[in-house]
Amino acid sequence: MKKIFIIFILLGCTSALGNEIVTQESLEAAFIFNFLKFVQWNDTRPTYDICIPDDENLRKVATALLEGKALNDRQIDVVNRTDNCHVLVSSTSPNPDSTLTIGSLDQGAMFEFLVIDNKLKFAINIDNIRKSKLKISSQLLRLAVPKE
Amino acid sequence: MKKIAGPLILTFFFFNYTNAFSQTTDLTNLNLDQLMNVEVTSAEKKPEKYFTTPAAIYVITAEDIARSTATSIPELLRMVPGVNVQRITSNTWTITIRGFNGLNGLGLNGSLFVNKVLVLIDGRAVYSPIYGGVYWDVQGVPLEDIERIEVIRGSGGTLYGANAVDGVINIITKRPKETQGGFVTATTGSQDRLSSTVQVGAKSGGWDYRAYGTGFRQDQGIEGSQVDDWEEGQGGFRAEKDKWNIQGDFYQGYIGQQTFVDTSTLSSLPQVNEQEEVRGWNLLSRYQDDDLSLQAYWDRTERYSIAFGYRLDTINLDYTQHLQLTDMHELVWGSGYNLDVEDDINTDITQITKPLETNQVFSSFLQDEMTLTDKLKFILGSKFEYNIFTHFEMEPNARLSYELNDTNFLWAAASRAVRTPSRFEEDGIYNLHDATPFPNLAGLEISGSDDLKSEKMLGYELGYRNKPTDNSLVDISTFYDQYSDLTTLTAGNFYINQGLVYLPFQYVNGMTARTYGLEVSAEDKIKEWWKVKGDYTLTKLNLNTIPSISNAPSLGTDIQGETPLNAAYLQSSFDLPKGFEFDQTLRYSDRTVENQVIAPPYLELDLRLGWTHKSWKVELVGQNLLQPRHRENALSTIAEEVQRGGYIKITKKF
């Protein structure tokens, strides 16, 4: 019962999403798309390479949602590999210093997705971010929630 | 698929969300602030659909569980309108929906066999076909793992088959990917003497999985009466990869209880205290995609008491498929097969006279969900079932719903349901040579009957849901149900054997009933930090014995029985600063009567104070605080009073 009116509150603020089914995967993909806006990479490749090696579902959803889109004149490419990535979503993160890693903070990732009260949030490990060569806007970091 | 994992509602309104897929908003147009406020809906969880479900449904969410004072599933169900929970002893509850609590034939032991509600745990039925009913003492799913409990009042026969006459309780555990990490809990209190759960969740090779172990020791109720303390251990796992799901549990326990035994003399008491040994395991596998689901499970249950015992293996196969025929017609159909193999069923007191190695049920159902207009929907379907006792059974239903606008929803339903006789009602013999409940007699004999027919119910329901504001909800349903061929006992001619007087009873289809009622539930989030919810239940029973068939002495006409006429529940939850939570629960039940013994009305209060700090959570709970003890069930030969109590629980996440 409680869920019912939680949904109604939501309908109020995001009416665009009216009757829709929003999977965690599609939200994660949309988050990743937004992350790209707040991060500067030093390379000059024509693409943003989003590597999703482990999670097949997420890769499919992200491909459907993001392929063909462009940001800062770069095309977005969702790929199944672990090297030469701008963003790497993996449960075990090797930590190349110019890759934004999403996974488990305890395993060395910079970002971790959390589902809190049925909503997707993210937490950050500021040490791991400082160790990298990435420039991440504080606007993004401010949106992070603490991980319990 | 929806029948199993995302049960009834989804089947009712499958077309709602197939349509939804076609109008997807591009999420990349939203900024992070907006995205962080979007609710995640997984394939199995579509909470927004409850509002437009044409059935009386109530959902206990994981949040409700976290904020409740319950340490078991039966105690959780007290919050649901239309559901009557009576605690008989520290390990026994009778739980009914829309009436029929306790009243089963003569009431002698019958109270424990409330038999018109089907219970499923992740698609596995836990209704016992031997005596009919649910043994709540062995359904020990850790409460932390429950995603939600959907309680559907009214017949669920079309989708769930026989024995879902008065309703269905669907216990759905969290998916393994939602229980990554782990936790340890420790609880100690006056009733829950000691209990602990340990769980770990992880992933590897594409599989998400969890494994848990839990154990508890519960104190006996009133000192000096029956020894009803109990202890149990349970472990299990659930693993999921893509569309595959595998899960299983095992348990063993010792359940203290009082049992009538054969003393063969008039002088000594026929009740003895014993420890019933229970154990079992189950293994379930399911393949599920958007349109179809294939599920198989094997469940072993063993119970060994002095008077009743059995070993039962159940093998169950189920297939369900959705077909979008046209824009207007959405078809759901499925087939199932159930095999029960029993063993070790006889004791000195209870026997099954006709050994039956296997008991098979074949079933199919077909349901058409029609979108007549944007707002008007009509569902028509039926289950067809074949079983070896009563042969063909049919359980049709028709449901009409009208969505006036976003805040008003109306529905109506008519359905037919059956309860097939239990193994004991068909072929059982219960033989007690000294029956104190009938002090002027020496022997009591209850025997089953081959000629027993199914109990039948014709139900008519009307419901209305309203959202007065974005933060509140009102849900009203009414019903009128007609029952025929209800099973009861009739007494035969007494006879004298070795100087003792014996009175034989036999099961017959000797009762009819008309029941009607009203269930209202409402909730409101008054402030961001204060939620209130409550419900009210009216259940009127008119049970009538057919004198030409049954002469059962304790029954008569228009009997209300052991179901309270009025019941109410009120809960208020505060989110306080610094991670504190404070919850208060008031509940009221009218008096109940069995065999002219009255359990008086009671009002009880539970309080809970919770405190979360980082990965730690501490809860202090007081239960039944208004009086030292109260009686919930009138069956004085078995039922104990429920005591005031409390516990402290510590949870550490890692």
Side-chain angles (χ1 to χ4, degrees):
Chain A
M1 282 301 164
K2 193 157 289 167
K3 282 283 160 49
I4 296 168
F5 76 84
I6 289 174
I7 279 288
F8 301 146
I9 298 164
L10 280 172
L11 290 181
C13 38
T14 57
S15 55
L17 292 166
N19 234 344
E20 264 173 53
I21 305 310
V22 181
T23 63
Q24 185 173 341
E25 284 84 0
S26 58
L27 270 178
E28 286 183 4
F31 268 59
I32 293 168
F33 179 80
N34 269 280
F35 288 172
L36 298 176
K37 301 174 184 169
F38 295 98
V39 185
Q40 276 184 25
W41 282 271
N42 291 326
D43 65 277
T44 54
R45 298 212 299 266
T47 55
Y48 281 123
D49 293 335
I50 318 278
C51 301
I52 309 179
D54 310 332
D55 190 336
E56 195 189 325
N57 271 343
L58 177 61
R59 189 167 64 244
K60 278 185 193 158
V61 172
T63 304
L65 193 69
L66 303 180
E67 289 266 0
K69 289 206 161 58
L71 259 182
N72 308 326
D73 289 333
R74 291 188 185 200
Q75 287 289 321
I76 294 174
D77 217 358
V78 178
V79 293
N80 178 6
R81 61 160 197 259
T82 54
D83 55 338
N84 274 326
C85 309
H86 290 98
V87 176
L88 171 64
V89 188
S90 173
S91 48
T92 51
S93 317
N95 228 340
D97 51 15
S98 59
T99 298
L100 188 155
T101 52
I102 303 174
S104 164
L105 297 185
D106 306 333
Q107 305 268 0
M110 304 171 188
F111 286 69
E112 178 169 347
F113 287 128
L114 304 169
V115 177
I116 299 171
D117 291 340
N118 256 359
K119 293 170 188 167
L120 191 67
K121 311 274 171 170
F122 65 91
I124 54 169
N125 183 326
I126 198 74
D127 293 337
N128 292 343
I129 291 170
R130 286 205 184 106
K131 274 184 249 164
S132 75
K133 292 179 182 166
L134 294 177
K135 282 185 195 143
I136 301 180
S137 161
S138 61
Q139 278 182 306
L140 175 61
L141 302 182
R142 263 208 307 273
L143 291 172
V145 298
K147 188 191 177 193
E148 277 186 2
Chain B
M1 132 196 187
K2 278 79 213 179
K3 178 190 170 195
I4 296 137
L8 194 61
I9 21 127
L10 302 179
T11 322
F12 283 142
F13 269 66
F14 187 71
F15 43 77
N16 263 2
Y17 72 86
T18 40
N19 289 347
F21 279 118
S22 58
Q23 39 166 323
T24 309
T25 308
D26 187 345
L27 287 171
T28 58
N29 291 335
L30 302 181
N31 66 32
L32 275 174
D33 263 339
Q34 291 166 326
L35 286 170
M36 285 167 85
N37 278 311
V38 175
E39 184 146 347
V40 179
T41 40
S42 72
E44 288 178 90
K45 188 170 59 182
K46 314 234 176 303
E48 72 271 34
K49 296 300 170 236
Y50 294 128
F51 189 75
T52 52
T53 299
I57 186 166
Y58 187 95
V59 180
I60 301 175
T61 65
E63 192 196 344
D64 291 331
I65 294 171
R67 299 300 289 264
S68 96
T69 59
T71 56
S72 63
I73 293 170
E75 295 294 320
L76 272 177
L77 293 169
R78 291 186 191 275
M79 73 173 73
V80 185
V83 174
N84 184 232
V85 177
Q86 295 181 14
R87 194 163 189 165
I88 310 285
T89 70
S90 85
N91 54 52
T92 312
W93 292 263
T94 56
I95 300 178
T96 54
I97 299 178
R98 294 183 169 173
F100 295 98
N101 206 330
L103 229 159
N104 183 301
L106 281 172
L108 185 88
N109 277 359
S111 242
L112 306 185
F113 307 142
V114 295
N115 52 24
K116 295 175 187 46
V117 174
L118 187 65
V119 178
L120 297 110
I121 299 175
D122 285 335
R124 176 174 54 90
V126 295
Y127 181 98
S128 165
I130 304 288
Y131 294 107
V134 175
Y135 286 102
W136 288 102
D137 52 10
V138 293
Q139 317 304 343
V141 182
L143 298 189
E144 290 82 0
D145 283 339
I146 297 176
E147 157 69 34
R148 66 189 188 279
I149 301 176
E150 296 176 353
V151 181
I152 298 141
R153 309 185 294 274
S155 165
T158 300
L159 298 177
Y160 295 94
N163 310 325
V165 176
D166 288 341
V168 180
I169 297 172
N170 254 311
I171 298 157
I172 297 152
T173 69
K174 290 174 182 166
R175 299 177 66 182
K177 71 176 192 183
E178 289 160 15
T179 53
Q180 296 290 304
F183 65 84
V184 184
T185 74
T187 306
T188 183
S190 59
Q191 187 66 38
D192 299 87
R193 271 299 155 88
L194 195 60
S195 82
S196 179
T197 302
V198 181
Q199 177 164 295
V200 287
K203 56 178 74 187
S204 82
W207 287 90
D208 289 300
Y209 60 87
R210 67 163 174 266
Y212 73 91
T214 184
F216 63 81
R217 181 174 168 75
Q218 285 238 344
D219 192 28
Q220 78 177 80
I222 309 290
E223 290 291 332
S225 56
Q226 61 178 304
V227 181
D228 59 345
D229 58 329
W230 55 315
E231 56 191 42
E232 221 167 280
Q234 176 164 329
F237 74 98
R238 181 170 174 184
E240 203 172 49
K241 180 182 183 177
D242 300 328
K243 290 160 181 164
W244 291 92
N245 178 75
I246 299 174
Q247 62 191 91
D249 309 275
F250 59 90
Y251 61 85
Q252 175 145 9
Y254 298 91
I255 294 177
Q257 63 188 12
Q258 209 162 54
T259 307
F260 291 93
V261 292
D262 189 353
T263 58
S264 294
T265 68
L266 285 170
S267 54
S268 60
L269 275 175
Q271 287 120 306
V272 297
N273 288 316
E274 65 158 343
Q275 294 278 315
E276 179 173 18
E277 186 181 351
V278 294
R279 56 174 181 257
W281 53 261
N282 62 77
L283 195 61
L284 178 143
S285 173
R286 177 169 52 237
Y287 172 86
Q288 179 172 335
D289 68 20
D290 288 345
D291 295 316
L292 65 89
S293 154
L294 181 63
Q295 173 183 280
Y297 67 79
W298 184 346
D299 182 298
R300 152 88 47 105
T301 307
E302 292 177 78
R303 303 186 72 94
Y304 300 110
S305 137
I306 299 168
F308 302 92
Y310 63 84
R311 190 183 88 193
L312 178 72
D313 286 287
T314 299
I315 292 167
N316 185 290
L317 299 171
D318 193 281
Y319 177 78
T320 307
Q321 191 180 10
H322 285 257
L323 297 165
Q324 183 77 48
L325 289 186
T326 64
D327 284 351
M328 192 180 141
H329 293 278
E330 164 83 23
L331 219 57
V332 195
W333 71 279
S335 277
Y337 170 74
N338 191 83
L339 172 71
D340 288 326
V341 183
E342 68 199 27
D343 200 1
D344 289 343
I345 207 162
N346 294 339
T347 67
D348 288 345
I349 312 253
T350 313
Q351 292 96 40
I352 298 290
T353 51
K354 289 184 191 148
L356 180 75
E357 304 274 299
T358 59
N359 178 0
Q360 302 179 80
V361 177
F362 301 88
S363 66
S364 274
F365 80 96
L366 178 68
Q367 182 156 289
D368 186 4
E369 304 171 351
M370 288 165 255
T371 309
L372 302 178
T373 71
D374 275 0
K375 296 171 179 300
L376 194 64
K377 280 156 187 170
F378 183 60
I379 293 174
L380 191 63
S382 183
K383 186 110 181 172
F384 306 93
E385 205 166 285
Y386 179 83
N387 71 79
I388 57 167
F389 295 136
T390 61
H391 311 299
F392 279 105
E393 299 287 359
M394 204 167 108
E395 297 181 86
N397 82 144
R399 287 172 195 271
L400 188 68
S401 69
Y402 185 67
E403 196 175 347
L404 280 77
N405 48 42
D406 286 348
T407 56
N408 287 283
F409 180 78
L410 267 169
W411 62 273
S415 47
R416 179 184 191 268
V418 300
R419 183 183 76 82
T420 50
S422 71
R423 190 77 177 85
F424 182 76
E425 287 168 332
E426 280 277 328
D427 296 320
I429 284 214
Y430 176 83
N431 208 322
L432 201 62
H433 298 302
D434 185 353
T436 300
F438 304 91
N440 48 349
L441 296 167
L444 175 68
E445 203 179 88
I446 298 174
S447 48
S449 165
D450 271 350
D451 303 330
L452 219 53
K453 292 177 280 191
S454 288
E455 297 183 339
K456 290 147 195 96
M457 189 270 264
L458 277 176
Y460 307 93
E461 297 172 88
L462 205 58
Y464 170 65
R465 287 189 193 99
N466 175 254
K467 292 175 288 186
T469 68
D470 282 349
N471 291 333
S472 56
L473 176 77
V474 178
D475 190 342
I476 301 170
S477 38
T478 61
F479 65 91
Y480 173 71
D481 294 340
Q482 288 175 303
Y483 295 80
S484 56
D485 288 333
L486 287 172
T487 303
T488 186
L489 292 166
T490 191
N493 294 325
F494 70 86
Y495 62 89
I496 298 171
N497 186 12
Q498 296 181 343
L500 294 175
V501 181
Y502 289 90
L503 187 57
F505 289 89
Q506 189 170 41
Y507 282 109
V508 287
N509 296 108
M511 265 196 305
T512 61
R514 286 167 293 116
T515 65
Y516 60 86
L518 170 72
E519 294 133 4
V520 181
S521 67
E523 59 182 72
D524 192 7
K525 191 169 180 177
I526 295 167
K527 298 273 186 228
E528 193 53 41
W529 43 269
W530 186 25
K531 284 183 207 171
V532 176
K533 65 174 185 175
D535 44 70
Y536 164 74
T537 303
L538 166 80
T539 318
K540 181 74 189 99
L541 264 77
N542 294 291
L543 273 159
N544 290 295
T545 310
I546 306 168
S548 59
I549 301 176
S550 171
N551 58 5
S554 63
L555 300 175
T557 53
D558 293 341
I559 299 274
Q560 170 77 15
E562 272 208 77
T563 302
L565 184 63
N566 295 286
Y569 180 92
L570 188 64
Q571 183 180 341
S572 142
S573 298
F574 293 105
D575 293 330
L576 303 173
K578 298 192 191 300
F580 281 94
E581 300 165 335
F582 181 48
D583 305 279
Q584 316 95 54
T585 306
L586 260 181
R587 54 177 208 277
Y588 171 79
S589 167
D590 252 355
R591 67 173 204 164
T592 64
V593 186
E594 167 118 16
N595 268 352
Q596 283 127 37
V597 180
I598 294 171
Y602 70 87
L603 178 71
E604 266 306 350
L605 171 74
D606 285 3
L607 295 176
R608 171 184 175 275
L609 184 67
W611 181 55
T612 306
H613 182 70
K614 293 181 178 163
S615 60
W616 292 87
K617 186 163 144 188
V618 180
E619 293 161 274
L620 268 173
V621 169
Q623 296 161 308
N624 305 309
L625 295 170
L626 294 187
Q627 52 222 327
R629 50 177 74 175
H630 71 275
R631 177 173 285 285
E632 298 190 354
N633 185 285
L635 193 67
S636 56
T637 44
I638 293 175
E640 293 287 336
E641 291 175 302
V642 179
Q643 290 172 292
R644 179 185 287 158
Y647 66 86
I648 179 168
K649 177 176 179 182
I650 298 171
T651 306
K652 163 80 176 136
K653 284 187 185 170
F654 55 83

